[in-house]
Amino acid sequence: MIINKAYRFRIYPSDNQIEPLAQHFGSCRFVYNHFLRKRIDFYAENKDKEKQGLTYYDTAITLTQLKKDPEYVWLNSVNAQSLQQSLRRLDVAYNNFFNKKAKFPNFKKKHSKQSFLVPQSFNIDFRKNLLYIPKIEPIKIVLHREIEGAMKSINITKTPSNKYFASILCEIEKVVKPKKRGNQIGIDLGIKSFFVTSDNETVDAPKYLHKSEDKLAKHQRYLSRKVKGSKRRNKARMKVARIHEKISNQRNDFLHKLSHRLVSENQAIFAENLHVKGIMANHHLSKSVADSGWSEFVRQLRYKSEWNGVSFEQIDRFFPSSKRCFSCGWINEFLTLKDREWTCQCGQVVDRDWNAAQNILLFGQKMVGQELPKLKRSGRGGAVRPLAELRS
Ligand SMILES: [Zn+2]
């Protein structure tokens, strides 16, 4: 199995490297935006015709012509391959949109995160801690960890708080054997807590995250009051960018530790499909779906499971995970969002989130055709009904 792994290292460009880096960011952003505009316009003019849209190759040919135009001659001072990669990214963004994986591509903004890709002709001197990329003098890089596998490409980024990074994409060959034994777990991604598992473990989003979020809201208010173009506004913008960055680091750290632990402790993991979760929820919840980092968490669970031979499945159909008593299968039609706990007709005291996680586990196991595990019982319980009774 081939695994793609990205290693991110901080780089420290010198004063005279910042300018050529800025040229690369700016030119790649220009190419992306220029051809996004071209593609939109082309579609508007040709939607009734046989050829409705531009392909990657169409845009690559036009780019070559554009670089000969005296008005755009400055494009020649940056790595030509990085410019082509901007067209590739645009093409990927279009495909993701058409495959309903993403929204329609946005124009890239100057104050957002900047990036350009170096697909080849790069190198790293691991003894001298130097990064070599075309058209720029060797840049100081801090290699805080060893890298594995063959280096495939390097993505250079600049954050809104003016930090520079190099993400090195590596291909690693790995033999993965499926885990044969171990715990199986269902996860209910929650609103009140981050999630509850079928093992009855509740995980909350860490308090420091909430604190940082409050701080962010405060500084965003300050920023909105500053006069556009003023020095103070710029300063406030940097402050907001730094808090954003801190939150994203804290959140990533939290998610990585959590996904790592779940994958190492379990043989099979089941979760709901977030799309289903989002549809079932009201508007307020949809925002919390986006904010809580669930989709990133699910992404991590998926690839970490894959790398470690753990089975990870998402249940992508509706079923009454909260309303159904995990113990006897009775459906509580009277359950409202406010009810955190209820007593089933079989006598089982049902905790809303824990119950949902148990049902996700049961439903997931049924989906992959596994045998039913013995249920741990707490409280008086009736007979366990066959899973065939799970209905959607
Ligand atoms: Zn029951």
Side-chain angles (χ1 to χ4, degrees), residues 325 328 344 346 348:
C325 166
C328 73
C344 181
C346 72
Q348 176 74 46

Side-chain angles (χ1 to χ4, degrees), residues 56 80-90 116-119:
Y56 165 76
Q81 289 178 333
S82 296
L83 296 179
Q84 277 167 12
Q85 289 300 320
S86 283
L87 297 178
R88 288 253 181 237
R89 283 180 169 172
L90 180 60
F116 67 90
L117 195 87
V118 185

